[in-house]
Every structure is written in structure tokens, then in C-alpha cells.
């Protein structure tokens, strides 16, 4: 993993397994990147929809966590995604909080391919909950 990943106070084993790089986690913005490899693709050699859904979910959850003054964790309550075109190469996902209450964060995320073309647009609802003890970072 790059220095960026270790500098962010978040360690999610599943994101590490995929090779996700967390670029930003602050002020209600979550930005992540992933280089699409063969293991991330479908039978047409483009990013599998499940990978893209994971990326938008993660970017929005990171955004929601970064917007909370109490540093609480979140769980996904609802997720909606529209696929616009296939994603290949290095993708960038930007999630942001569009509205926040004391218990919920309403977010959106956009997936861009290596040519800055919009591939996916997602919205999600996240519920804040008290942080549980985290495992030590590796």
C-alpha cells in the first residue's frame, strides 16, 4: 500500500484486498482510487459491477465518517447506482455528503475512468453508530 493509505486513519481489509488507495478522507469528502486489474473484471474485460458498487459504497462511507464531529462509524442503509459506461484502467471515485442529520448521512459518489469519463453515479444513506474498538492497523 502507498503512504496515502497508511496516513488515513482507516484500515478496511476488504479494500486492501482489492488494492484500493484511499486518497482523501476529510470535510465530508471521500476519494479513493483503484487500478482495474484482471481480477476486478467481468467476462468483457471491464470492471465488474460488484467492484464498482463496492467502490461507491466505500467512498460514500468514508465521506460520511469524515463529516462526523464525533468520529463515529457508519453502516450502509441504502445504496443506489446507475452504470453509465464501462470502466477500465485506473478509476477515481469521489464521494461526498450532501445532507447530514444527527443520525444519518446522505451521500453521492461518482466513478471516473482514466479519461475522466463518468462511469457511474450513486447515492447512499448511511447510519452513524458508536464506534466499536478497531483492530490495530497493519
Amino acid at each position: 500500500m502507498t503512504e496515502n493509505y497508511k496516513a488515513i486513519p482507516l484500515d478496511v481489509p476488504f479494500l486492501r484486498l482489492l488494492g484500493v488507495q484511499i486518497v482523501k478522507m476529510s470535510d465530508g469528502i471521500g476519494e479513493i482510487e483503484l487500478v482495474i486489474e484482471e481480477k476486478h473484471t467481468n467476462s468483457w474485460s471491464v470492471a465488474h459491477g460488484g467492484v464498482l458498487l463496492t467502490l461507491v459504497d466505500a467512498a460514500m462511507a468514508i465521506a460520511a465518517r469524515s463529516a462526523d464531529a464525533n468520529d463515529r462509524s457508519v453502516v450502509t442503509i441504502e445504496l443506489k447506482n446507475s452504470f453509465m459506461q464501462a470502466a477500465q484502467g485506473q478509476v477515481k471515485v469521489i464521494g461526498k455528503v450532501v445532507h447530514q442529520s444527527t443520525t444519518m448521512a446522505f451521500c453521492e459518489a461518482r466513478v471516473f475512468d482514466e479519461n475522466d469519463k463518468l462511469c457511474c453515479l450513486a447515492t447512499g444513506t448511511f447510519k452513524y453508530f458508536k464506534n466499536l474498538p478497531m483492530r490495530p492497523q497493519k
Side-chain angles (χ1 to χ4, degrees):
M1 291 292 109
T2 68
E3 290 302 315
N4 280 342
Y5 189 89
K6 292 187 178 196
I8 303 291
L10 184 63
D11 182 30
V12 181
F14 186 58
L15 296 182
R16 263 192 288 117
L17 177 69
L18 290 176
V20 171
Q21 300 298 308
I22 301 174
V23 177
K24 181 176 182 176
M25 181 181 179
S26 65
D27 304 318
I29 303 289
E31 184 175 334
I32 60 178
E33 294 179 347
L34 176 67
V35 175
I36 302 299
E37 300 174 20
E38 183 181 8
K39 66 184 176 183
H40 302 120
T41 62
N42 59 24
S43 58
W44 297 293
S45 299
V46 296
H48 189 283
V51 171
L52 297 179
L53 283 173
T54 295
L55 295 177
V56 296
D57 182 50
M60 289 187 287
I62 290 167
R65 287 188 65 171
S66 76
D68 186 52
N70 298 312
D71 193 32
R72 293 175 291 176
S73 295
V74 295
V75 292
T76 307
I77 300 299
E78 178 267 338
L79 178 64
K80 180 179 184 229
N81 188 70
S82 295
F83 297 105
M84 295 166 182
Q85 67 179 20
Q88 299 180 68
Q90 181 165 330
V91 297
K92 173 175 62 174
V93 187
I94 301 171
K96 68 178 184 175
V97 175
V98 295
H99 179 75
Q100 186 178 20
S101 71
T102 56
T103 60
M104 307 281 269
F106 301 88
C107 303
E108 68 178 24
R110 295 170 188 257
V111 178
F112 299 93
D113 69 10
E114 59 191 11
N115 297 313
D116 283 331
K117 299 277 188 193
L118 182 62
C119 298
C120 299
L121 176 64
T123 58
T125 306
F126 297 82
K127 181 167 179 45
Y128 288 110
F129 68 96
K130 182 180 175 181
N131 274 337
L132 300 173
M134 301 286 281
R135 73 185 148 276
Q137 288 192 15
K138 296 180 182 181

